[in-house]
Structure formats: structure tokens, C-alpha cells
Amino acid sequence: MVTAGTSDEQIVERALAGDVDAFGEIVCRWERRIFALAYGILGREEDARDATQETFIAAFRNLRGFRGEAKVSSWLHRIAVNQCITRQRRARVRAENSLEAETEIGGEKFAAPAAASPARQAEGRERTEAVRRAVTGLPPELREVIVMKEFEDLTFQEIADTLDVPLSTVKSRLYTALKQLRLRLEKYGVEAAHV
Amino acid sequence: MNETTKTNNCERVGELIAYFYGEANSTERENFNAHLASCSDCRDELAAFAGVREAVGHWRAEILKTAPALSFANALAPPQVKAEPVAAAAVSQRSALTTLREFFTLLPMWLRAGAVAATLALCALAALAVLNAEARWDNGGLAFSTRLRSETKTAPPQIVAPTEKVYSQAELDNLVAERDAALRELEDTRAQLDDSREANLIAAIGTLEPALVSSTSSTPKGSRRERRIAPSPNARQKRLRDERYEEDMPRLYDLLNEAN
């Protein structure tokens, strides 16, 4: 039986041994975080949902390829980021990657908690929307690294391995991404103290 | 972040990032701490980056809070399999209803009233059928009856055995007497027939006998053949009767065949 204390690696071992429900537990544990990662990179809820599903489908199909050398979380992140990158490339080919133009898509869906006052909710929504626009407006290569770092707290090395780029590239991209976000948030009038 | 963003002219941005994300080792951290004491650009930038992290972290928390839950089955279902057929079915159902409604509104009033009356009658019939429905399970299998058709109480056709005529004793006696008389008449007729046949045979033999005697005159007198061909009339008659009796007697072989 899978309990909260069971590690991801143990669950994957069970899934490999034929336990049908084991992989479902992996999905339950990681689906929200993978969705958030995909949303951070892609900037659209629908795309993020599809990318999340495709991530778990790919993981399930390649379950036997998981050798246990890396953590299950790193393995899933790598699959998810690859799914997002593939989607971005497809979108670029279709010339549909004008994320700045998609100003209102998905922004209303991530509202502040209902416990806050209406004014506070409106303020929170405005700031959340500003951050979303700032992040999704970054170039894809910067967006990928900042989301992987800020959303999943992957190490520089893990990001480098996932994207197959040098460690120095990861650091420089992160620095550039942070600088651009700072500028964009200032442009949108978001004050760090209130966010 | 209200202040005008200053450009960081410091060249140690690589160290700044490792320091900022906590990936610098202890030596690098000590060195950069010493650098921060003297570099206002790096201090300002670190503070601004912290604000950015906070904003992005808040956004991530919002995403996680409102992220749609994906079921395991959905996650493993092929991506192209979505709820489109259901939506298409709903659209087709809507369009059919709309068409029906439009058709009904276009009908004249008398036709609408007739349609309503017919619908009500149909509903009443259906209700009656449901109320009177009877299901029965017997040797003949499952039977279901709505009793919509009136049952005719016709009795099943009965097979009447032919009534036998009752005879009185006198009638029976008469019948027996008639039968005996008929039997006697039959016997007489048969005896007359036999006599006539016998007479014919005797006459035929009588005509043939002289010829036979002449043709067999050369044979020794008193031979068995002569005695057999020319018996006395009484003996001949007796022999013919015996032969006829043997012919009338059923053979054992025939009886066995009939029995089989």
C-alpha cells in the first residue's frame, strides 16, 4: 500500500512491478506542480493542461526507461520542460507565439483567495496578472530557466542537464531573466513590498 | 522598486546569481559578502531580485491554488480524446429541439389543438397500458400482456366424445338373432358353393376318367396310381373336403408373420 511516507522512487518500482495504481499516485503527487511549471513556461492554462497530460503520458510510456539514476522529480521535470519546449517551437512555427498580445487569456483565472476584501482581491488580481504578463513576455529561453528555478527550485546543474546547456549559460540566462522581470514589473507598477 | 533602475556595472554578476540562489559554496559566499559591503550596485540588485522572486512566488502559489485537478484516467487518455463528442451530441440535441419548436409554432391553431389532443390520447393509452400491464411466468414461458385489447370470453372448443346409443336387452337380443341368422345364411351359402364346386369337380373327373383309364390300361391292375385316380365317390368327396379344410386353415408361418 502506498502511504505518504513512500518515496517517489519506491512508487515507481511498484509501478514497474505491475502495480497499476502506483503510477496514479505519482500523478496525484505531481500533477499540480507540473501544471504550474507548464503554465509558467507556456503562459496559457489550456496549453499547460495539455502539456501536463502529455508529460504523464510520456512518463508512463517510458516508465521502463527510468533507471533510478536521477530522482523521479527531476525525471518528470525534464519530461515536462521538453513537452513545453516542443509546444513552444510548434507555436513559433505557427507564428502564434505573440504572448504579449494575449493579454487577457488566463489572467482572470488565478484570482486572489475569497477571504480577502474585494479591493484587496482586485489589487491581488492586478498584481498577479502583471507578474503573469511579465513572465510570459520573456523570451522562451529565459522563461524556461526562471520558471524551472523559481517554481521548482531546480539547481543550476539540473537546469543545465535538462536544457542541455552549459552551467554558465544557465547562470547568465537567470541573471538576464531577473533583470528583465524587474524592469517589466516596474513598468506594470508592481511594488515589491506589496506583492 | 520605486527608484529608477540602476545599471549594475559590476562584473561579478555570475557570483551574484550563485549567492542569490544559495548555490555558492562557503568560500564564495564569504567573498561575495565582502564584495557587497563595498558594491552598492550589487546590493541594490539583490534587493530588487528578492522582490521579483517574491512576486513570482506569489504568482506560483496562485497557480497551484487554482490548478485544475487532473484525474489519472484523463492523464493517461490519448490527448485527442476529449469531451468533444458529448458537446457535439448536446449541440445536435439542442438543434433538434429548436427545430421541433419552430415547426410547432408554424402550425395553424386547429392543427396545434389536434396535435395536443392526439398527444394526450397517446399518453392516456400509454398510461393504461402501463397500469394494466401484466407479466406472467408459467410453463409456456414469460408472457406480457397490456390488456389493451378486450378479452373475449369465448370458451375454448371442447372435444365432445360421441355419445353411444343405449340399447335395450330386447334390441340386443334381436341384434344377436340377426347376427346368428346372417351367419347361418353365410354358412349355407358357403356350403352350397362348396357343393356346386364339388359337383363340378366330380363331373370334370367323371369326364376325364374314361380317358385316363384307357391311357393307363397297360399299367398293372390295382396299382397305387390307379387306386388314387379312381377312388369311390364317397372317399373322393371326403378327400376333397379334407383338402379344402387344409387350405382354409391358417398356416403357422402366416400367423407368425402377422404376429410380428
Side-chain angles (χ1 to χ4, degrees):
Chain A
M1 185 179 172
V2 177
T3 60
T6 312
S7 70
D8 292 337
E9 287 71 27
Q10 288 173 325
I11 296 173
V12 168
E13 278 180 19
R14 290 188 183 183
L16 285 168
D19 187 347
V20 185
D21 298 328
F23 193 77
E25 178 62 24
I26 289 285
V27 175
C28 288
R29 283 188 182 190
W30 285 96
E31 62 179 0
R32 284 178 180 273
R33 291 179 66 174
I34 295 294
F35 172 82
L37 177 73
Y39 185 83
I41 294 174
L42 298 170
R44 291 182 56 170
E45 185 183 343
E46 192 182 334
D47 290 344
R49 190 197 302 262
D50 289 347
T52 307
Q53 286 191 354
E54 285 166 12
T55 296
F56 286 111
I57 291 166
F60 186 73
R61 285 178 181 160
N62 298 314
L63 202 58
R64 300 210 172 272
F66 179 73
R67 301 183 187 283
E69 293 164 357
K71 289 196 295 183
V72 171
S73 56
S74 303
W75 177 60
L76 283 175
H77 286 139
R78 187 173 300 186
I79 296 172
V81 170
N82 286 333
Q83 290 287 343
C84 292
I85 290 171
T86 306
R87 281 189 161 267
Q88 280 178 333
R89 283 178 187 156
R90 282 185 203 152
R92 242 175 281 170
V93 169
R94 291 185 211 132
E96 291 176 358
N97 200 26
S98 54
L99 291 169
E100 277 292 339
E102 300 168 359
T103 50
E104 301 306 322
I105 299 171
E108 295 292 324
K109 291 172 182 173
F110 299 106
S117 66
R120 184 76 179 165
Q121 283 181 37
E123 200 177 356
R125 273 200 301 270
E126 194 179 328
R127 285 181 188 133
T128 302
E129 173 59 15
V131 176
R132 188 195 72 81
R133 290 178 65 185
V135 173
T136 55
L138 290 172
E141 66 273 10
L142 300 185
R143 201 159 63 231
E144 288 159 11
V145 291
I146 197 71
V147 169
M148 288 167 81
K149 189 65 188 171
E150 295 295 340
F151 277 38
E152 290 303 318
D153 199 21
L154 300 184
T155 64
F156 295 157
Q157 191 60 55
E158 285 171 337
I159 296 172
D161 291 343
T162 302
L163 297 176
D164 199 19
V165 293
L167 202 63
S168 58
T169 304
V170 173
K171 287 182 183 176
S172 67
R173 283 184 183 178
L174 272 173
Y175 179 76
T176 310
L178 285 169
K179 273 184 74 173
Q180 288 199 15
L181 281 176
R182 178 189 177 187
L183 288 170
R184 286 165 186 268
L185 288 176
E186 281 179 356
K187 182 182 159 188
Y188 297 140
V190 177
E191 295 180 13
H194 293 162
V195 175
Chain B
M1 294 203 346
N2 283 335
E3 298 170 7
T4 308
T5 305
K6 287 188 271 185
T7 307
N8 187 356
N9 295 316
C10 186
E11 294 178 352
R12 300 177 70 169
V13 291
E15 291 174 56
L16 183 145
I17 281 293
Y19 180 86
F20 178 68
Y21 280 117
E23 291 204 30
N25 59 35
S26 57
T27 308
E28 290 168 343
R29 201 179 311 122
E30 284 174 10
N31 287 339
F32 199 76
N33 275 330
H35 169 72
L36 282 177
S38 60
C39 183
S40 61
D41 285 352
C42 284
R43 280 202 306 273
D44 292 343
E45 202 153 49
L46 279 176
F49 285 175
V52 170
R53 284 198 79 179
E54 195 179 345
V56 174
H58 188 265
W59 180 47
R60 176 182 179 263
E62 289 291 323
I63 295 172
L64 285 174
K65 212 180 290 176
T66 55
L70 305 168
S71 69
F72 181 52
N74 286 341
L76 291 183
Q80 64 270 20
V81 178
K82 290 180 180 176
E84 288 168 4
V86 178
V91 167
S92 68
Q93 195 177 3
R94 259 201 316 275
S95 66
L97 277 174
T98 310
T99 309
L100 196 65
R101 198 178 293 120
E102 284 174 3
F103 174 73
F104 194 74
T105 51
L106 287 173
L107 290 176
M109 190 58 74
W110 64 271
L111 203 55
R112 282 191 223 176
V116 169
T119 310
L120 286 175
L122 205 63
C123 289
L125 274 174
L128 275 173
V130 170
L131 288 175
N132 289 329
E134 181 192 17
R136 191 173 63 248
W137 176 265
D138 54 13
N139 292 334
L142 181 66
F144 184 79
S145 168
T146 58
R147 294 187 182 173
L148 274 181
R149 296 171 61 187
S150 60
E151 290 180 2
T152 53
K153 297 288 183 183
T154 52
Q158 292 180 351
I159 301 170
V160 181
T163 52
E164 291 183 357
K165 188 179 177 182
V166 180
Y167 291 96
S168 64
Q169 187 60 40
E171 288 171 335
L172 281 174
D173 292 341
N174 288 335
L175 285 171
V176 170
E178 285 175 7
R179 186 198 62 183
D180 292 343
L183 283 174
R184 274 195 301 277
E185 190 178 352
L186 184 65
E187 283 296 320
D188 292 343
T189 309
R190 186 178 289 167
Q192 287 173 5
L193 188 63
D194 289 345
D195 289 343
S196 64
R197 284 174 64 191
E198 188 178 338
N200 290 338
L201 279 172
I202 290 167
I205 289 168
T207 55
L208 289 172
E209 200 169 27
L212 283 170
V213 169
S214 62
S215 65
T216 56
S217 58
S218 57
T219 56
K221 198 174 180 180
S223 66
R224 289 178 67 187
R225 180 179 174 86
E226 186 182 5
R227 268 187 270 130
R228 185 163 59 87
I229 290 174
S232 66
N234 288 338
R236 204 181 301 136
Q237 191 172 359
K238 185 175 180 299
R239 187 167 55 83
L240 284 171
R241 278 184 184 166
D242 290 344
E243 284 174 358
R244 208 166 41 241
Y245 177 75
E246 283 176 2
E247 283 175 2
D248 292 340
M249 284 293 287
R251 293 181 180 178
L252 180 62
Y253 178 78
D254 296 334
L255 286 173
L256 283 172
N257 274 342
E258 284 177 11
N260 286 332

